[in-house]
Amino acid sequence: MSLVHEIDYGTPVSKSAETVKLTIDGNQVTVPAGTSIMRAAMDAGIQVPKLCATDSVDAFGSCRLCLVEIAGRAGTPASCTTPVAPGMVVSTQTERLKQVRKGVMELYISDHPLDCLTCAANGDCELQDMAGAVGLRDVRYGYAGENHLKLEKDESNPYFTFDASKCIVCSRCVRACEEVQGTFALTIQGRGFDSKVSAGMLSDDFLSSECVSCGACVQACPTATLSEKSLIEIGQPEHSVVTTCAYCGVGCSFKAEMRGEELVRMVPYKDGKANRGHSCVKGRFAWGYANHKERVLNPMIRESIDQPWREVSWDEAIGRVASEFKRLQEKHGRLAIGGITSSRCTNEETYLVQKLVRGGFGNNNVDTCARVCHSPTGYGLSTAFGTSAGTQDFDSVEHSDVILIIGANPTDAHPVFASRMKKRLRAGAKLIVVDPRRTDIVRMPHIEAQYHLPLRPGTNAAILNALAHTIVTEGLVNEAFVREYCDRDAFEHWAAFVSEPQNSPETVGVMAGVSPEDIRGAARLYATGGNGAIYYGLGVTEHSQGTTTVMAIANLAMVTGNLGKQGVGVNPLRGQNNVQGACDMGSFPHELTGYRHISDDATRTMFEKLWGRPLDHEPGLRIPNMFDAAIDGVFKGLYVQGEDILQSDPNTVHVVKALQAMECVVVQDLFLNETANYAHVFLPGSTFLEKDGTFTNAERRINRVRKVMTPKNGMGDWEITLAIAKAMGFEMPYSHPSEIMDEIAALTPTFAGVSYDLLDKVGSVQWPCNEKAPLGTPVMHIGGFVRGKGNFMITEYVPTDERTGSRFPLLLTTGRILSQYNVGAQTRRTDNVVWHGEDVLEIHPQDAELRGVRDGDWVKVDSRAGGTALRAQITDRVAPGVVYTTFHHPDTQANVITTDFSDWATNCPEYKVTAVQVTPSNGPSEWQREYNAQAEHSRRIAAKIAAE
Amino acid sequence: MSSDHSVDKLVMMANQMGRFFTPQRGGDTVGAITNHINRFWEPRMRIAIAAHLAKGGAGLDGPVREAVGRLKEAKVPEKGLSA
């Protein structure tokens, strides 16, 4: 397989429907109006020499290399900045152009190191290519003149180097930072000969600047000026494979560029339909965990959790799992064991785990980490619209006029999609942010939210009701949409409810701490500002009213007619890479694939026939129920694939008790994670680079994951599940993950058309993909809802039982940061720790002063569930009375504070509202010290102890 | 699923449902709660809350109490499948 070469058309595509005919070098060319001559030439297979142009950014016209001659026009215009015109006759190669280009190249090369043979870009350097293209044979000026060759390298960024001596000041990096990423960290400092790419202020290097290490500048650089350190160390790749990132729910497509089985670099794939050629610091650079020294490659077992691990063969480990699970079922009944699927694993692997539980264990005790993030999305949207997923594709945002973000922080948690969103906002779309914190997107370069509603944590449903109150009582309802597509009785009932005085902005505003005028203004803007799109995240779902709030969002979209077309919709931003897929694949204990209830006889019979096993018709235990059942002594064994429930689930002390109460905990992961401290069998997992499969992202897009190297642990995750199933007496005869997808397609109407052949052919598809929609469904509910008529539900605000008071006067809310991912198992084992080496507590200056806390001080945070200590960061990003932290580091264990209150419909935990007290501290708490000692003790491996 | 802690939690979860379904249109709050519990709660959880009701059902709100009384009978098979 060769490198996946992507054509650089020089300038972005024109989306005009009109076409223009012209002649380029004697060829008749027809292109959309607005296309540059450069791009039109490329369409005709003619490569005009260029340096400052690339199709990911707008034309700039600075390098003077892409000049052309146009019949009837004077001069030599730049082909990148000159649009085509009807009847235009263009010449790209004339004596005059040759002379000009050669002269330009002479100047460039006269101030460029002549170290091509030892340069990291050797073989992939556009400057080198252009020297060849213009026939440069000598440099008349010599090389002794004033130059930039002694400029120092900036190697501060852990992942890439900036070598100013090789810079041609084409501004591609600066423009990529502005146009693609939207951070505006880079600039050209100085004028004329002193011009230099600079990361922000004069005193800044790349690491200390506002650079977010997305890699767009490195990708755009035509020389070796900005180069990945891995490329410098290893050399140019010789082949590449298109695959899908294993971090967040955006699901970016990447080219894994390889030398043999060694990964050289991950480069965002331009044809990737989720990311359109962009990336973030995690997907682009943070893959070093795959080779981290702490990765475990051999299976291990132990009799009890106070013993050291013992490395064993795969046969012995799998045999232990099967014999223990069988013993537990024999002794405690069929329902005594269960499994947890992973949103970090592929659809195929997830499907297999739920199949193992249902068919092999004979019960429905299977759940997934979506339980603790987006389970309310599934239930809420299914009730309102009939489908448990977001309504749009990511491209839709390009057509939005008003963007309402609630309970989401896309610039940190979904950065690549955030860049697309920011681009639309810079182009004029309006922004409403509903969030207790002043997240970055509220105010950043060239973006300022029209409304930021900094609501008190836990009042989402009330605020949404107040927005709806304004829309209904001020006559802003989209009557035509409601009449045509929604259940009339449900609407009338709901409209009467939201019109009640307790839902008015004036009443809600006081209780939620938000200006009533702002609530009214935001409602008017959303209802009347054109295409209105709602994007939401875990700040919506992780509440006791998570499902209610999802329904309230759906109500808002329906009442304004913001559904069923481009630019609108209800868009859940999924946390992990395959949360959507894990839900689709039947990971919930009450549902088979495609969200069909286990009690449905016809569906269950279909599965029973294909699997050759009878299936239980009763729902199984959800993750929080498994913990309770374990403590009650009726749940004894658990198979956890790719999920660290101890660190990610709330009320850590409760989870520890539950794990300690079980007799056989099996953890399948890359590392000895926190859950493994309480496990009896450890099965080493494989990374996304080592397996074939698919991920489904937040826009329902099914993307291929392709194996680029042999599993270092010897087995793909899917093969491990097969081995367990076989040892349990339940054979699953697959020879490749594509066969698993074929089975999923055969059993799941929304996946009926999906196959690896189709994905290889078209790149990706969004479900539903079936006979009615053979190439998938980018936008749902066009011309009517899947369930029939849109269903308005009453979303009465019910305050959480978690209350502040004199003992716990502050509200803690938790979230993520850009450089880290989820529990940090992967990102903590990369150089991303330079940006976030520990979790900190954000606290408002007033609250800090009241407690005598200074910036950087250790503080203890206590709740009714538990306490931990961490350093304080004083900031007015949070409102008085609200504190915030992340949960990426086990040393902090933020979830020891969170409670086990949960959503009424789905048991999704209420991470976002915990009453706490903050007091000065002198270091980690006693509990943290004990926890760390236990963790260290638990991670001992007998073979290594003996060797020491 | 029988400790006091677990039962207290089940009561709280059921009451949460009650607060959601009570204002919904259609008037069948009890039926909606019953249906939700039947569809989402594992049999042992249903058995536990039914047993709690049999002992007086302390803490269960009005419609929730009635809904728990209408739950379909749950069985926990020792061997084989109940399907």
Side-chain angles (χ1 to χ4, degrees):
Chain A
M1 190 181 287
S2 62
L3 269 171
V4 175
H5 280 293
E6 294 173 280
I7 297 170
D8 185 351
Y9 290 88
T11 61
V13 67
S14 165
K15 290 178 180 167
S16 173
E18 287 178 40
T19 56
V20 169
K21 285 185 183 173
L22 70 160
T23 304
I24 303 177
D25 293 343
N27 298 287
Q28 296 285 321
V29 185
T30 303
V31 293
T35 300
S36 70
I37 292 173
M38 176 182 282
R39 188 171 181 113
M42 200 64 197
D43 275 350
I46 301 162
Q47 296 182 35
V48 182
K50 66 177 183 63
L51 278 172
C52 74
T54 187
D55 58 14
S56 61
V57 293
D58 288 339
F60 194 54
S62 79
C63 75
R64 313 315 293 166
L65 208 59
C66 73
L67 310 181
V68 292
E69 291 191 60
I70 302 170
R73 292 195 193 182
T76 52
S79 65
C80 63
T81 52
T82 309
V84 296
M88 188 180 256
V89 178
V90 179
S91 298
T92 69
Q93 183 81 339
T94 66
E95 279 307 313
R96 183 182 177 199
L97 293 172
K98 283 158 67 178
Q99 290 305 315
V100 173
R101 287 183 190 140
K102 200 176 278 188
V104 169
M105 281 307 298
E106 272 188 276
L107 288 166
Y108 276 123
I109 300 301
S110 70
D111 186 13
H112 195 82
L114 298 177
D115 62 347
C116 292
L117 287 179
T118 55
C119 177
N122 188 14
D124 186 28
C125 173
E126 292 182 41
L127 190 68
Q128 196 178 43
D129 293 346
M130 290 305 106
V134 305
L136 186 70
R137 299 293 172 256
D138 59 0
V139 175
R140 288 168 292 167
Y141 315 111
Y143 304 97
E146 195 176 352
N147 58 51
H148 299 85
L149 302 184
K150 293 213 163 71
L151 291 178
E152 284 188 12
K153 288 182 187 176
D154 177 350
E155 302 201 75
S156 60
N157 187 288
Y159 296 119
F160 61 84
T161 297
F162 174 67
D163 183 350
S165 72
K166 294 182 174 174
C167 181
I168 59 170
V169 201
C170 63
S171 291
R172 273 163 64 161
C173 55
V174 177
R175 288 179 286 142
C177 189
E178 292 176 3
E179 296 176 31
V180 179
Q181 167 55 29
T183 293
F184 295 79
L186 303 182
T187 188
I188 299 293
Q189 161 201 318
R191 290 288 178 271
F193 190 77
D194 294 329
S195 299
K196 184 189 165 205
V197 171
S198 172
M201 307 291 285
L202 279 173
S203 56
D204 283 333
D205 56 19
F206 268 80
L207 188 61
S208 63
S209 74
E210 291 179 341
C211 166
V212 293
S213 291
C214 68
C217 57
V218 181
Q219 196 181 350
C221 181
T223 69
T225 308
L226 285 155
S227 291
E228 298 91 348
K229 287 183 175 173
S230 58
L231 178 86
I232 294 170
E233 186 189 325
I234 301 168
Q236 289 290 329
E238 45 78 27
H239 76 275
S240 61
V241 179
V242 175
T243 189
T244 305
C245 177
Y247 281 118
C248 79
V250 177
C252 297
S253 294
F254 277 88
K255 291 187 294 178
E257 297 198 340
M258 312 289 298
R259 282 206 74 81
E261 286 208 333
E262 184 173 24
L263 180 60
V264 175
R265 61 182 175 184
M266 295 289 281
V267 179
Y269 185 45
K270 211 158 64 173
D271 286 346
K273 290 171 187 163
N275 56 319
R276 303 287 181 195
H278 190 35
S279 58
C280 79
V281 62
K282 295 189 284 287
R284 179 78 153 95
F285 296 118
W287 39 266
Y289 66 86
N291 299 313
H292 194 274
K293 63 182 180 183
E294 288 174 4
R295 184 168 168 196
V296 179
L297 299 176
N298 297 310
M300 301 188 295
I301 61 174
R302 58 183 171 185
E303 312 308 320
S304 63
I305 60 171
D306 57 352
Q307 292 181 354
W309 288 104
R310 188 160 55 85
E311 291 182 348
V312 294
S313 68
W314 275 106
D315 282 348
E316 188 174 349
I318 298 291
R320 173 66 67 91
V321 174
S323 64
E324 277 296 281
F325 282 173
K326 284 179 190 169
R327 179 183 70 81
L328 291 172
Q329 287 193 303
E330 189 64 34
K331 188 174 171 190
H332 301 282
R334 179 168 54 79
L335 306 183
I337 63 172
I340 296 178
T341 75
S342 175
S343 293
R344 294 180 213 169
C345 287
T346 63
N347 283 319
E348 293 75 3
E349 288 159 347
T350 303
Y351 175 84
L352 287 189
V353 173
Q354 64 90 34
K355 180 173 176 178
L356 166 68
V357 171
R358 297 188 203 283
F361 297 178
N363 64 46
N364 291 308
N365 292 333
V366 61
D367 207 359
T368 184
C369 35
R371 171 69 50 214
V372 299
C373 65
H374 264 291
S375 50
T377 288
Y379 185 82
L381 295 186
S382 177
T383 305
F385 304 149
T387 306
S388 300
T391 62
Q392 311 295 119
D393 59 0
F394 287 149
D395 287 350
S396 170
V397 78
E398 293 173 14
H399 306 274
S400 298
D401 300 308
V402 179
I403 295 171
L404 193 166
I405 301 171
I406 175 168
N409 184 6
T411 55
D412 276 62
H414 304 88
V416 173
F417 175 67
S419 289
R420 301 185 67 184
M421 186 184 266
K422 288 188 289 183
K423 192 168 191 170
R424 179 64 196 144
L425 291 166
R426 290 197 304 276
K430 303 290 190 289
L431 176 64
I432 302 163
V433 178
V434 184
D435 200 294
R437 290 172 78 226
R438 193 182 64 243
T439 52
D440 285 348
I441 205 162
V442 171
R443 190 168 191 274
M444 62 192 327
H446 303 283
I447 292 172
E448 183 156 17
Q450 276 61 41
Y451 295 98
H452 173 213
L453 311 184
L455 77 179
R456 184 177 164 81
T459 59
N460 283 332
I463 285 286
L464 288 161
N465 287 341
L467 292 170
H469 176 98
T470 307
I471 290 166
V472 170
T473 58
E474 294 189 8
L476 306 177
V477 174
N478 185 331
E479 292 287 353
F481 184 91
V482 171
R483 191 167 46 246
E484 177 91 22
Y485 300 118
C486 301
D487 183 309
R488 191 72 205 177
D489 289 345
F491 168 73
E492 300 287 357
H493 188 66
W494 172 81
F497 157 72
V498 295
S499 300
E500 291 169 5
Q502 79 268 17
N503 293 317
S504 73
E506 289 67 29
T507 304
V508 169
V510 172
M511 180 264 299
V514 179
S515 142
E517 293 75 27
D518 282 356
I519 298 173
R520 285 192 181 273
R524 291 169 191 145
L525 176 60
Y526 174 71
T528 65
N531 285 340
I534 301 177
Y535 292 87
Y536 73 90
L538 307 185
V540 159
T541 54
E542 290 175 343
H543 289 272
S544 59
Q545 280 206 290
T547 293
T548 308
T549 308
V550 171
M551 291 173 177
I553 287 171
N555 291 340
L556 212 57
M558 285 190 288
V559 76
T560 53
N562 277 311
L563 288 157
K565 59 182 178 179
Q566 284 281 8
V568 298
V570 174
N571 304 279
L573 293 170
R574 305 279 181 163
Q576 300 196 57
N577 48 324
N578 201 33
V579 173
Q580 180 69 58
C583 299
D584 301 340
M585 290 300 102
S587 294
F588 288 139
H590 64 286
E591 285 175 339
L592 291 159
T593 62
Y595 305 96
R596 291 162 298 166
H597 201 274
I598 191 72
S599 65
D600 180 70
D601 291 339
T603 305
R604 206 175 57 255
T605 303
M606 196 166 58
F607 281 76
E608 286 172 334
K609 277 186 185 164
L610 199 67
W611 293 356
R613 288 289 175 115
L615 302 182
D616 193 346
H617 67 282
E618 289 278 17
L621 294 168
R622 299 171 286 198
I623 293 174
N625 311 145
M626 289 180 191
F627 296 151
D628 292 340
I631 291 169
D632 284 347
V634 295
F635 189 73
K636 292 290 189 179
L638 182 63
Y639 170 40
V640 191
Q641 185 186 69
E643 171 72 358
D644 193 354
I645 47 178
L646 181 59
Q647 195 182 336
S648 64
D649 285 48
N651 196 349
T652 307
V653 173
H654 183 69
V655 180
V656 166
K657 275 186 200 165
L659 290 171
Q660 282 175 325
M662 293 186 219
E663 292 179 25
C664 184
V665 175
V666 180
V667 168
Q668 182 174 324
D669 209 297
L670 301 176
F671 306 101
L672 282 171
N673 60 20
E674 305 310 305
T675 307
N677 296 341
Y678 297 89
H680 306 84
V681 180
F682 184 84
L683 304 173
S686 50
T687 72
F688 75 111
L689 298 166
E690 299 165 356
K691 59 176 84 163
D692 278 301
T694 55
F695 291 148
T696 306
N697 75 356
E699 46 165 4
R700 297 169 280 105
R701 184 178 302 285
I702 306 159
N703 255 319
R704 275 282 273 120
V705 178
R706 293 185 174 88
K707 183 175 168 180
V708 298
M709 60 180 72
T710 308
K712 293 185 192 308
N713 57 326
M715 288 176 93
D717 285 310
W718 65 280
E719 294 169 300
I720 298 170
T721 308
L722 290 192
I724 296 172
K726 186 176 178 182
M728 297 281 293
F730 182 38
E731 292 260 15
M732 300 187 198
Y734 310 105
S735 59
H736 189 268
S738 62
E739 296 167 10
I740 306 170
M741 179 53 79
D742 291 342
E743 181 173 310
I744 294 164
L747 289 168
T748 316
T750 45
F751 275 65
V754 181
S755 68
Y756 281 26
D757 283 347
L758 178 72
L759 296 175
D760 289 343
K761 200 164 127 192
V762 303
S764 62
V765 291
Q766 291 169 267
W767 66 259
C769 174
N770 47 32
E771 207 170 284
K772 280 186 192 165
L775 293 177
T777 311
V779 176
M780 297 203 70
H781 313 300
I782 295 174
F785 290 100
V786 169
R787 75 178 296 280
K789 295 287 186 184
N791 188 19
F792 285 89
M793 298 295 289
I794 302 299
T795 54
E796 191 167 283
Y797 170 61
V798 180
T800 172
D801 289 328
E802 177 71 359
R803 305 286 167 86
T804 53
S806 56
R807 279 182 65 212
F808 302 107
L810 304 172
L811 282 179
L812 170 78
T813 186
T814 63
R816 294 183 187 190
I817 201 162
L818 171 67
S819 57
Q820 297 288 339
Y821 174 71
N822 202 267
V823 295
Q826 293 140 290
T827 45
R828 277 187 284 109
R829 292 179 172 97
T830 70
D831 285 330
N832 278 25
V833 290
V834 303
W835 290 284
H836 187 78
E838 60 184 315
D839 295 320
V840 296
L841 185 80
E842 290 186 2
I843 184 168
H844 190 274
Q846 288 175 18
D847 293 322
E849 192 177 341
L850 270 174
R851 290 163 175 77
V853 171
R854 291 163 304 178
D855 195 60
D857 280 356
W858 278 93
V859 289
K860 186 145 188 286
V861 186
D862 287 296
S863 73
R864 292 178 182 92
T868 190
L870 68 174
R871 291 181 192 277
Q873 184 176 75
I874 297 176
T875 173
D876 64 358
R877 181 189 282 267
V878 289
V882 176
V883 291
Y884 169 87
T885 190
T886 47
F887 59 98
H888 302 305
H889 290 269
D891 289 345
T892 315
Q893 287 285 7
N895 281 319
V896 76
I897 312 164
T898 53
T899 69
D900 51 9
F901 285 120
S902 67
D903 172 51
W904 66 267
T906 65
N907 264 175
C908 179
E910 187 167 56
Y911 292 100
K912 302 298 184 184
V913 189
T914 307
V916 297
Q917 177 59 292
V918 175
T919 51
S921 172
N922 56 4
S925 67
E926 189 61 27
W927 184 87
Q928 282 167 289
R929 279 193 280 269
E930 283 172 13
Y931 179 87
N932 285 334
Q934 194 279 337
E936 195 177 327
H937 186 73
S938 180
R939 289 189 181 124
R940 291 169 303 146
I941 298 173
K944 291 183 180 166
I945 295 171
E948 282 166 4
Chain B
M1 312 297 287
S2 57
S3 70
D4 290 345
H5 174 77
S6 291
V7 171
D8 287 349
K9 205 181 273 186
L10 296 177
V11 169
M12 184 182 72
M13 287 158 56
N15 285 341
Q16 279 182 298
M17 286 176 213
R19 286 197 288 273
F20 174 80
F21 285 115
T22 297
Q24 302 302 326
R25 77 193 165 102
D28 188 11
T29 303
V30 171
I33 300 168
T34 303
N35 183 49
H36 194 86
I37 295 176
N38 279 334
R39 286 177 71 81
F40 291 92
W41 283 20
E42 198 251 14
R44 287 172 292 186
M45 296 165 70
R46 302 206 306 268
I47 289 170
I49 201 159
H52 177 69
L53 180 67
K55 286 191 277 183
L60 288 171
D61 294 342
V64 180
R65 175 182 290 269
E66 199 179 335
V68 171
R70 286 196 210 168
L71 290 178
K72 71 175 178 183
E73 194 181 345
K75 289 179 184 166
V76 181
E78 283 308 309
K79 297 274 170 75
L81 288 174
S82 58

